[in-house]
Every structure is written in structure tokens, then in C-alpha cells.
Amino acid sequence: MIARFRRAYGSSPLHLIGHVVAFAAFVWAFSQILGGGYVVNYVAWFVGAAVLHDVVLVPIYSLIDRVTRREGRRAWGSSFGAAINYVRAPAVISAILLLVYSPVILGFSAKNYRDDTGHPLNGYVRNWLLITVGMFLVSGLLFGGRRIRGRLLSDEARLVSERSPARD
Amino acid sequence: MAPPTEPTRHRSTPATPEGHGLPRPPSADEIKALLPDLARTESGIPLPFPEDPPPGPFRPSFWRSPLRGTWLTAFLGSMLLVLVVVSFLTGLISHAAYKPDLGHNFTFPKKDDLPPLIDLPQGAPAWLYAFTQGLHITIGLITVPVILAKLWSVIPKLFAWPPFRSPAQLLERLSVLALVGGGLFELTTGILDIQVWYPWHFSFVTAHYYGGWVFICALALHFFVKLPTVRRAYREQGVLKPLRANLAETVPEPYEPGGLAPASPAAPTISRRGLLAMVGGASAALLVANFGESIGGPLRRISLLAPRGRVFGTGPNAFQINKTAQFVGVTKAAGNPDYALELVGAGGHTTHLSRAQLLSMAQHTRELPIACVEGWSTTQHWTGVRLSDLKRLSGIDGDAVLHVFSLQTDGPFRQATYAPGQVDDDRSLLALSVNGADLSLDHGYPARTILPNVPGVHNTKWIGSMKFYPA
């Protein structure tokens, strides 16, 4: 009996029960929201968030990463491979800050901000740029430091190997 | 569908309509050979799509990152689970803090709603709601990089081919839409709300609250469905062991059809721990960029991107404002020298109290925060009349519910309703001054309420009327 169910359904009866319960909860929650009207607007936001992420955001950042790596290798050769994550980290963090704080950085909140606080919305673009420049500087310094350390270490290793005759 | 090729057609017989040598109609077997094989369920029922994936992301060879695999997804999922549970619980606390079962506190119909589930105890320290709501916002923000990484790690699943092979898989994929849509919807609406930008028509409160239920139910389901996979990944690869691998030691997980590991992995350009460090760095950046507005004081300034991370001058009234007097249009009514507070008590008995009369009553000073649902807070020293004293003045000695009404004529928060415990709390005030000075117009002159552990908007400004109802 269970085996036949499994074959037809593709999983255990518990799997089906769990999904039925969860979908009942979804129906309850959605009907509470949609009771307020604006059905199309709400569904567009709910589904749109997932679609925008999956078919716009992911391809865009994947493409930027790929192009950056290709052009970096073209310009600086294979040594760019060691530098890529010193570019990626500040770029990713800066992009996420922009994504999250775009309403204040790009000024979408300007009117409501003034009504709420009594002050104009400004300074956020500057702060975001400062943070971004700061992160790239720190990242560059870390990379430079790593390169210098690596070179010193390899010099030392060469000196050591020159002094002590190689054993065959 | 690809056009059929023409291997069976004879060269010397042109396929013209009037031609004598019309090719014989293909047999059923030949048609079958030309059509792509249909995907089938385990029990052999054909599905409405071919067995072979279309080109591009539907083919396993398309996805090449060597980091993808069950361990990375399990690890990110475990972190998300903790973050989301904290967000959900603090969200429930905030919902209950509005006392949605009283008066018009709930800004949308109460029909079919659950009762408030996690109520903060009345005697709790006054900073507790500021803390839980600050946590709600901060955790929500630091979840963003983790959820982005989690979705990146499972993106090949979106293009899995065939789209489903059994009813179970179809249901699972629909529930994943509720999970991903719900998670991104909660984060997006929450993040835009703290920046007071509302580019939609639906009610934020309703959509964010019930959206939270959709998300948590989908997550609970996902947890049980994926638990065996997660346990297997941790058992086979260790919970933390893959974190020890540097770039040179980073190897892809073995490929399994339908799994997350790539079929043809590229060489790694970052280690798994490097990726997780980047995610953690982004979360840390969001934390530092915002948390100062939840704590206030000198820390407010270091949160460079927090919507309430700015300090506007000094002075007793120079703290964060939510809705200026000018914006809500109460400047005239609130500045009226003949202002008198309407106090309604038992049996509808009404008295009027001028500000001078209120000031002649026993004054009490309390240190209390305004803790906004948007996650910012500001703690000040408020002086005024205790709500319990006003209740007794209205002629009620026992428990009473209190409705307060602002002089403002519009907006959902021109009124609030407090529970008997809140009215009787020794810290609950009708404040007349703050930090030793009269309230400014923007902070609620001539009088405002201030209570411990209520959301900021329920500390009603420009109080025009107070009605006590025996409970």
C-alpha cells in the first residue's frame, strides 16, 4: 500500500501531509493579506522579488564577475588570479550596501524622510562612497602587504637555499 | 522543438505539392522516432516535457562553480535558520507589543487572526522592546548577504530538468516558491519600511505580518524535507571541516545527477571559507552601518547608512522626530493657548484640564525610550502626570482600558489603546516636558503619552482626549 503510494506520489505520505498543512497555512495567510485588496500589486511584489533575483540579479552579478576575471587576466596576466578576491570582497560588500540602502542613498525616501524627521535627506551618497573607497583602500593595502611579505619570504627562502648546498 | 531532419526523403523526389513523388506519410513509429522522448514519472506516466533538457542553464554542464554542493548549502541554510527564527520571534513580540486585540490598535481587520503569541511582561525593563525590535531589524539586515549566498548556492535547482518527475516534486517546488518569494518579500518590504519608502499599494503591516507566516511555514516544511540531506552532508563532510581548506585544498564535491555539485567543475578562484568570509564581511558591514540607531548616544553617528543615524543639533528637544507637527497639520491646534485636555471617565463623566492644571498635578520623571518599529530608538528623561493618576482623577479606581486621541485629524496613529496593566504601570506618563524643558511642538506639545515597551507610534503626540473604560 505505502509502496504503491510512494511510487505514484514520489515520496512518503508524511511528505504529502506536511505539504497539505503548509499550503493550508499559505492560503490562510494570503487570504488575510488579499482581503485588503490590491491583489495584483501584492502578487507582483511577492513573485516579482523571487523572479527579479533569479533572472536579473544573479545573471548580472555572475556576468560582472566573469568579465572582471577575463579582463583582469588579459590586463595583468595570471597574477590577477591572486588579486581577484581583493577586488571581489569590497565590490560585493559595497554592492550589497547599495542594494539595501538604495532608498536613502539614491533619494527615493527623500519626501517621507523630510516629513518624518523634519530634515532633508542628504549625506548618504557621500557616506556610501566613503565606505566603498575605504574598503577598496584597505583591501588594496592588504593585497600589497601580502605581496611584499610573499616576496620577502621567497627572497629569504632563496638566500637560505643558496647558503646551504642542495643535497641530492 | 527542433525541425525534423530529412534523412528519409529521397533526393530525386522534390517535395512539391504538385509533384508525383510525394513522400509517403511517415509511419507512427517514424513520427515517434522524430519526437523527443518525453520525461516520465517513476510509474511511467509521460510528462509534458522532453526527457532531454533544453540548452543553457537547464543542462548540468552549465553550472561550473566548484564551491556548490550540499555542504555549502547546508551550512548557509543552518545559519539562515537561526537568523530567521530570531527575526520571526522578535516580529511576533513586536506584533503583540501593539496590543492588536485592543481598540483600533490593529490597523487591519482582526478577522481570523491568531491571538498575540509572545507578550513582553508588563514589569520588564523599559529598554526591552527597543532591544527586541533593534534585534529584529539588525538580524533582518545581516540576513541579506546570507540569503543571497544561499540562493546562489542552489540556483541550478531552479533550472532542474525535468521540472518535476512526481507530484511530490511538484509540490516541493511550489513550496520553494513560497519560501524564496516569502523570504525575499519579507526582507524587501522590511528594508524599504525602515527607510520609509513605500512603492506599493498594499498595507505594509498586513503584508509583512502575514508574509512572515507564509515564510515561516514554508521554512518549517523545507527544514523537515531537507533535514536528511543536511545531516548527510554534515556526516560525510563534517560540520566545520570544509572550512579548514584553503584555496589550493578546495575541491568540488562529487557530482550526483539532480544534486548541487557541478558536473564539470571549473578551477576554484576562492575557497569556501573565503566565500563565507565575504558573506560574513557583508553582514558585519550592514551591522555596523545600522546598529547605532538602535542604541543611540555616541554610537548613532558611527552608523553611516542608518536612516536614523544622524544627530541634529543639541538641546533638550533635539532628538529624533517621527512626523513633524507641520506635516500632520496640528501646528495650530497644538499651539492654541486655550488648549484643554478632555478627560472622560466612568459613565462618560467628562472634565477638561488646561496645561497649567496638568502641571499642578503631581509630576513624575521617568527615563524611557521611544522605540520605533523601524528599529531606531532614543532614550530621554520625560516629566509629566502618571496615567494611573489621571485614571483615578477620571473617577475609576479599578482596572481600565485607555483610549487616547491626538489633535491630529488624520493618520492611523492619531489614536492608541492601552491595556490596564500599561495604564497602571508606574512608568507610564502623560509627558508635558522632556529633559527639563517643555515638549517642543514636534515632540507632542502640549502633552504626549510615553509608556515602557510600546512601539514608538503608540506614544501618541498632541493628546487631545483620553477616555478610560473600566475593564
Side-chain angles (χ1 to χ4, degrees), chain B residues 173-357:
Chain B
R173 297 205 70 181
L174 286 173
S175 78
V176 167
L177 175 64
L179 180 71
V180 176
L184 293 176
F185 182 84
E186 287 302 278
L187 285 175
T188 310
T189 51
I191 283 167
L192 297 193
D193 178 67
I194 67 170
Q195 298 172 80
V196 293
W197 187 43
Y198 304 95
W200 53 69
H201 301 297
F202 51 82
S203 147
F204 165 75
V205 178
T206 320
H208 194 71
Y209 172 63
Y210 288 110
W213 280 108
V214 171
F215 185 35
I216 205 75
C217 291
L219 183 69
L221 184 66
H222 191 66
F223 173 81
F224 287 112
V225 169
K226 294 298 179 191
L227 189 59
T229 316
V230 173
R231 291 180 64 162
R232 204 189 96 184
Y234 285 158
R235 196 174 54 238
E236 288 177 357
Q237 298 173 67
V239 179
L240 299 174
K241 202 167 147 242
L243 289 175
R244 287 208 280 271
N246 62 22
L247 181 58
E249 297 154 356
T250 299
V251 287
E253 287 182 20
Y255 171 71
E256 288 171 22
L260 291 165
S264 46
T269 57
I270 189 170
S271 61
R272 290 188 179 85
R273 69 182 181 197
L275 176 76
L276 291 169
M278 210 148 73
V279 170
S283 290
L286 287 162
L287 177 95
V288 173
N290 210 85
F291 86 113
E293 68 166 20
S294 306
I295 295 173
L299 285 174
R300 193 181 297 280
R301 285 174 194 274
I302 69 161
S303 288
L304 289 176
L305 296 173
R308 296 302 188 119
R310 323 206 33 213
V311 180
F312 305 110
T314 55
N317 273 287
F319 54 92
Q320 298 290 324
I321 299 164
N322 185 31
K323 305 270 186 297
T324 61
Q326 197 192 355
F327 171 65
V328 300
V330 294
T331 314
K332 215 175 141 198
N336 181 357
D338 296 328
Y339 164 83
L341 170 73
E342 182 190 49
L343 187 68
V344 182
H349 177 74
T350 305
T351 42
H352 285 89
L353 297 163
S354 69
R355 201 165 182 279
Q357 284 170 311

Side-chain angles (χ1 to χ4, degrees), chain A residues 100-113:
Chain A
V100 167
Y101 288 104
S102 53
V104 287
I105 293 173
L106 303 178
F108 306 136
S109 314
K111 191 196 169 295
N112 289 351
Y113 185 89

Side-chain angles (χ1 to χ4, degrees), chain A:
Chain A
M1 180 70 186
I2 297 275
R4 260 183 64 190
F5 177 86
R6 267 187 170 279
R7 225 170 103 81
Y9 173 67
S11 192
S12 70
L14 210 58
H15 183 279
L16 179 62
I17 293 168
H19 279 77
V20 168
V21 171
F23 280 91
F26 298 160
V27 168
W28 164 72
F30 282 131
S31 67
Q32 292 291 89
I33 297 169
L34 299 178
Y38 305 113
V39 175
V40 175
N41 185 246
Y42 174 76
V43 173
W45 272 81
F46 194 92
V47 179
V51 171
L52 265 185
H53 170 269
D54 291 349
V55 306
V56 178
L57 195 63
V58 174
I60 286 179
Y61 73 64
S62 303
L63 195 69
I64 292 175
D65 186 63
R66 187 172 293 196
V67 169
T68 308
R69 275 187 289 146
R70 198 184 58 209
E71 294 305 311
R73 268 198 306 272
R74 191 171 294 170
W76 290 288
S78 61
S79 68
F80 187 70
I84 179 68
N85 291 322
Y86 290 85
V87 179
R88 265 178 179 161
V92 163
I93 296 173
S94 168
I96 289 180
L97 289 176
L98 178 62
L99 182 74
V100 167
Y101 288 104
S102 53
V104 287
I105 293 173
L106 303 178
F108 306 136
S109 314
K111 191 196 169 295
N112 289 351
Y113 185 89
R114 177 183 269 282
D115 293 343
D116 282 4
T117 67
H119 295 274
L121 175 75
N122 52 36
Y124 286 95
V125 189
R126 184 202 62 199
N127 287 357
W128 175 71
L129 286 172
L130 275 177
I131 294 169
T132 302
V133 169
M135 286 191 303
F136 272 100
L137 273 178
V138 169
S139 195
L141 287 175
L142 285 174
F143 181 66
R146 204 186 82 156
R147 290 286 289 232
I148 290 166
R149 219 183 93 214
R151 209 164 291 161
L152 289 178
L153 283 177
S154 66
D155 285 353
E156 200 176 311
R158 202 172 53 239
L159 285 175
V160 169
S161 66
E162 276 167 9
R163 262 185 233 144
S164 56
R167 273 170 284 172
D168 295 86

Side-chain angles (χ1 to χ4, degrees), chain B residues 385-404:
Chain B
V385 183
R386 284 189 308 208
L387 295 185
S388 54
D389 291 343
L390 288 161
K391 180 187 77 174
R392 269 185 291 280
L393 187 66
S394 81
I396 299 173
D397 283 325
D399 284 352
V401 167
L402 168 60
H403 293 280
V404 298

